[in-house]
Each structure stands twice: as structure tokens, then as C-alpha cells.
Amino acid sequence: MKKILIALLALVLAFTMVALPSCTTTDEDTETTDGSGNGTGAGETNSSGGTASDDGDGNDDSTESTSRYTNFDLRDTYDEDSATSIVFTDSEAAITGDGAAADGTKVTISAEGTYIISGSCSDGQIIVEVTDTEKVQLVFNGISLMCKTSAPIWVKSADKTSITLVEGTTNTMQDTASYTDVNTEGEPNACIFSKDDLTINGTGTLNVYANCNNGITSKDDLKIISGNITVTAENHGIRGNDSVTVKAGTISISCGNDGFKASNTSKSDKGYIYIEGGTITIDCGDDALQAVTAIDVVGGSITVSAAGDTTNCEGTVSVADGCITEG
């Protein structure tokens, strides 16, 4: 009888242990996904206080403002000791560090990394030509660069390129009325031209004088995070084929055609303009904001003097009250 009671007690105890809920504690952050399979670490914040996505393209164009920008887009800091220095004069481009080579005043960047650019040159050029998985940060630290045959900045290939404007500096890019150095696709067609994603950040000043065609162009996504940017252009001011996004900054555009333009007609989720902040002035010969799929202005202050329409879009247009003033 005693053995039977012991056996029964053992069965009851075993049943109780199985029925009790289990709990596991870990010190690691929980990884979440954005629905596209890209993981994001919990608690990771960007420099603007919002949650930053990783550098995967799957996160770049979320409808949430804080996940429109990757950590790379938002990074306006750099390590001077590990970066490569490029100093221009009218006669040469002096390079200290790895990843870049100069042919007189024409510099080709061929490796991922950070490049601090300064000096002054009346006929020079920077070409970025890395793989489609590599990122390049161009730090404008007081550079005045004119190119007489093509675009002063020509990103031929990259995953992403950022231009960081150093606080307190004035940086100037200028071209001439015609280009003799172009590829079979007619590129570049802007004073600052990128075949791939392009971001501008930092708090310095950038002056762009595009005497031939467009001011700033990306064939993919173009993002302006911050900076004091003035564009004077014969054709379009700021153009992103896939999209143009403005987070903040002071932007002044004077151009012969459209002010901001997004022109991708082949993808339903591209060809849009999204503006959430900044102080923007547009004086243009055609439309101020021209896009294919959508124009969304959710914040900022935009003053427009346009020969064409203030907004021109085949898709949807949404402008928050008080954001646009027509001059």
C-alpha cells in the first residue's frame, strides 16, 4: 500500500511540473522585423531621436517617417584618423590614405570608406566607382570644385553615397555650359550626379551652380537630411528618379524647369516626393514639385514662385495646411 501511495504522489508531482508555465529570461535585445524580413535591433536610435532602420534597402521607403532613413543616411560624423584625405589645388589632388587615386586633378574612389575633401580647383573631378554593395561617405570640408568637361561629382556605381557638409564650411560645385565627358547613356546630366542612392546630410553649406543641365540628380533615391543648400540650374533643380525625400534643412532652388522632380514611371512604389520638414524656396521655370505617383508634404515651409504649377502629379497629392506659400 505504501508503494502505491508513493507512486501516486510521483505521478501527481510529474503532472504538476508539466502543467506549470515556463519562463526564460535573457539579457539580449529582441530583434524585430519590418515585414520584409530585415531585422532591427530593439532600442536602436538615430541621431534625430527616431528609430533608425538598418542599411538594407527594404527599410528605406517605409511609410513611417522614422524608418525612411537608414543609419548611413543619418550619419554626419566621421573618424578623421581613419578617413582618407583628398586636398585639391589647381595643379593636383593630394591623397593621404587608401581607396582613391589621382590623375592630375581627377580623382577616382574605388573602395568603400570615408573621404574628407577640401581645397580649391578650377578644373577637377571626383568619380566614385565601387561595387553595388559598398557605401561611400564624401565629407565636404571646405571644397570648391569646378569641372570644365563634365560633372564635378560623378557617382558611377555604389550601393549608396552620402555627402556630409561639415559645420561652418562653405562648399561649392560648378560645371560649364556643355559636357564633353559623358557615357553612352548621356550621363552625367547634373552638376552632382549619382547613378545610385544619394544622401546629403550635415550642417554646412553647399552651393551648386549647374550651367549645363540639372543641379543635383540621383538615378535612384535622393534624400536630403539637413544642410544649407543652394541650387542654381539651367534645367531641373533637384531630381531623384525613384524619389526625392526631404527631412530638414534650408534649401533654395532657382532653375529653368522643375524645382523638385521624381520621374520613375515603371514602379508603382517609386516616382514620389515626400517632404516632412525644412525651409524651402523654389523659383522655377515650370513646376515647383513634379512627381509621377505621389506628392506628400507633411511639414516644413515651402515658398514657391513657379511659371508652371505648384504641384504636378499624375497620382495623389497631399499637402498639409500652411506648408506651401505661393509667391
Side-chain angles (χ1 to χ4, degrees), residues 26-172:
T26 177
D27 292 331
E28 296 180 359
D29 287 336
T30 302
E31 184 177 63
T32 60
T33 63
D34 64 354
S36 62
N38 295 315
T40 56
E44 184 180 18
T45 58
N46 62 41
S47 59
S48 301
T51 302
S53 67
D54 65 18
D55 287 330
D57 289 337
N59 283 334
D60 282 7
D61 300 311
S62 166
T63 55
E64 294 297 326
S65 167
T66 53
S67 57
R68 286 181 178 273
Y69 316 103
T70 68
N71 290 324
F72 181 77
D73 292 327
L74 298 168
R75 190 182 76 204
D76 58 5
T77 59
Y78 55 96
D79 182 0
E80 190 171 351
D81 292 334
S82 62
T84 295
S85 170
I86 303 171
V87 181
F88 279 91
T89 65
D90 281 341
S91 59
E92 67 172 357
I95 299 172
T96 304
D98 301 324
D103 179 7
T105 56
K106 181 178 180 178
V107 174
T108 299
I109 293 171
S110 58
E112 182 174 72
T114 299
Y115 298 83
I116 304 173
I117 303 161
S118 60
S120 178
C121 182
S122 59
D123 189 12
Q125 187 180 41
I126 296 171
I127 293 174
V128 175
E129 195 166 10
V130 299
T131 70
D132 60 7
T133 62
E134 293 181 305
K135 299 175 181 64
V136 171
Q137 181 185 23
L138 303 177
V139 178
F140 284 8
N141 189 29
I143 173 66
S144 177
L145 189 61
M146 180 177 182
C147 187
K148 295 181 179 179
T149 59
S150 189
I153 304 294
W154 184 359
V155 181
K156 291 186 175 181
S157 60
D159 175 20
K160 298 182 179 184
T161 300
S162 69
I163 294 173
T164 296
L165 309 173
V166 176
E167 182 179 7
T169 66
T170 297
N171 306 276
T172 301

Side-chain angles (χ1 to χ4, degrees), residues 235-277:
N235 195 18
H236 305 303
I238 295 176
R239 179 176 183 176
N241 181 53
D242 286 354
S243 67
V244 176
T245 300
V246 178
K247 181 175 176 59
T250 301
I251 304 167
S252 177
I253 299 172
S254 177
C255 62
N257 207 325
D258 298 327
F260 286 98
K261 186 178 182 71
S263 51
N264 190 324
T265 59
S266 63
K267 296 181 180 179
S268 60
D269 61 339
K270 296 295 184 179
Y272 67 85
I273 293 172
Y274 181 88
I275 298 173
E276 65 171 288

